[in-house]
Amino acid sequence: MKYLLTHTDRVLDLFLEHLSMTALSLCISLLLAIPIGIAITKYKRLYVPVTGLFGILYTIPSLAMFALLIPVTGLGPETAIIGLIAYSQMILVRNVAAAIRGIDPLIIEAAKGMGMSKAQIVFQIEIPLAVPVVVAGIRVAAVSIISIATVAAWINAGGLGTLIFEGLYRTHTDKIVAGTIAIAVLAIGTDLLFRAIERLLSPNMS
């Protein structure tokens, strides 16, 4: 706790570094997961192989994943971001697919009866109705990314994990405590933020 109070500037810098890395990873993950999730609901034969592949990637330990990527992308945040994107796909893709599958088929049939095209149905009906459920998946993925990004300090990706690894290497307990507290604050704050967004978007909640 003492390190957190006496080295506030460094902890804040690492906090912002961790935040930017996880935010970028989450944004790219969403850009990939949304079209993939939509595709596997439209082409049902793709669901099992695609989710199975992402499930396998998710089971690979984070250190092993980063180690496999190092020969290709080297040390640094780029490798960390690729790994974080891979880990988040299982959560996000399954959630997007579940959200779309949960839409009342009668609504889709009504849209077709009104002469809406497939693209219009996707962008004007399915995506807006799926958003509250998708946000729940984003919340889980975001907290997961924040946690896994801590390990990325091992490959010189920066972030709050740097404090924890420095503390472990030098038996500096205060650094470990400072890093742990900062990561917990980031994870809890992110969780609360997305819970608030869920409540805001859900028509069933006041």
Side-chain angles (χ1 to χ4, degrees):
M1 193 68 181
K2 182 180 178 181
Y3 186 91
L4 185 62
L5 298 174
T6 56
H7 295 78
T8 306
D9 290 344
R10 183 165 188 247
V11 175
L12 181 59
D13 287 342
L14 292 173
F15 183 94
L16 294 175
E17 195 172 69
H18 201 104
L19 177 61
S20 63
M21 178 169 59
T22 54
L24 178 59
S25 300
L26 184 62
C27 289
I28 297 173
S29 296
L30 281 170
L31 290 176
L32 294 172
I34 290 174
I36 293 173
I38 293 172
I40 63 177
T41 57
K42 303 302 179 184
Y43 305 97
K44 296 181 181 179
R45 290 183 180 180
L46 295 175
Y47 184 86
V48 173
V50 170
T51 56
L53 172 61
F54 290 140
I56 291 170
L57 290 175
Y58 194 77
T59 61
I60 300 174
S62 54
L63 285 176
M65 173 72 82
F66 293 140
L68 289 172
L69 290 171
I70 287 172
V72 181
T73 53
L75 296 170
E78 293 82 6
T79 297
I81 289 169
I82 292 171
L84 294 173
I85 291 169
Y87 276 118
S88 64
Q89 289 305 295
M90 188 198 74
I91 299 170
L92 293 173
V93 169
R94 286 187 176 182
N95 191 263
V96 170
I100 294 175
R101 284 181 169 184
I103 296 172
D104 189 342
L106 293 176
I107 296 176
I108 306 301
E109 290 301 319
K112 290 178 180 178
M114 293 171 62
M116 296 181 71
S117 66
K118 290 183 178 180
Q120 286 176 319
I121 291 173
V122 169
F123 289 103
Q124 296 181 28
I125 303 295
E126 291 181 333
I127 290 180
L129 289 176
V131 164
V133 179
V134 172
V135 170
I138 295 173
R139 174 175 58 81
V140 175
V143 174
S144 177
I145 287 174
I146 289 169
S147 175
I148 297 171
T150 304
V151 182
W154 178 70
I155 59 168
N156 296 331
L160 291 166
T162 303
L163 291 175
I164 294 177
F165 280 100
E166 286 180 358
L168 290 172
Y169 294 149
R170 302 172 187 175
T171 319
H172 197 311
T173 305
D174 281 347
K175 281 191 175 183
I176 298 173
V177 172
T180 302
I181 291 174
I183 291 165
V185 168
L186 180 56
I188 293 170
T190 300
D191 182 78
L192 293 174
L193 173 63
F194 281 108
R195 284 186 185 276
I197 295 173
E198 282 180 61
R199 288 195 296 269
L200 183 65
L201 295 175
S202 176
N204 297 320
M205 300 183 71
S206 58

